[in-house]
Amino acid sequence: MKLLKILVKVVDVILLCFLTVVVCSNLKDYINALRTIKGNDLKVTVFGHVVLILVLLTELALAVFSQKISP
């Protein structure tokens, strides 16, 4: 049971790292597009991605530093 809890935590951390990298990569593309296209919709998209990155990083920190995993 303890091994399963550790495995779940490791998979959670790996998944959150992957999602953070993907979102950051997309954000980089949106920022480059924002430099060439002056659009309000794109600004909202960039803002949304920044918020998503912050949420993912917060969840990653919680997953790494939490001592207890619910059953």
Side-chain angles (χ1 to χ4, degrees), residues 2-19:
K2 188 174 184 177
L3 181 65
L4 182 61
K5 288 182 179 183
I6 293 171
L7 183 63
V8 167
K9 193 170 191 173
V10 168
V11 169
D12 189 31
V13 169
I14 291 171
L15 181 60
L16 286 170
C17 288
F18 174 74
L19 288 174

Side-chain angles (χ1 to χ4, degrees), residues 45-69:
T45 302
V46 169
F47 177 74
H49 271 73
V50 169
V51 171
L52 180 59
I53 289 169
L54 293 175
V55 168
L56 286 172
L57 291 175
T58 302
E59 187 169 340
L60 178 61
L62 290 173
V64 169
F65 297 117
S66 68
Q67 298 297 323
K68 185 176 177 182
I69 297 177

Side-chain angles (χ1 to χ4, degrees), residues 6-42:
I6 293 171
L7 183 63
V8 167
K9 193 170 191 173
V10 168
V11 169
D12 189 31
V13 169
I14 291 171
L15 181 60
L16 286 170
C17 288
F18 174 74
L19 288 174
T20 303
V21 168
V22 169
V23 170
C24 288
S25 176
N26 285 341
L27 180 62
K28 182 186 74 157
D29 292 339
Y30 286 133
I31 289 173
N32 288 336
L34 188 60
R35 290 181 182 158
T36 58
I37 303 170
K38 303 294 181 188
N40 288 333
D41 291 340
L42 197 55

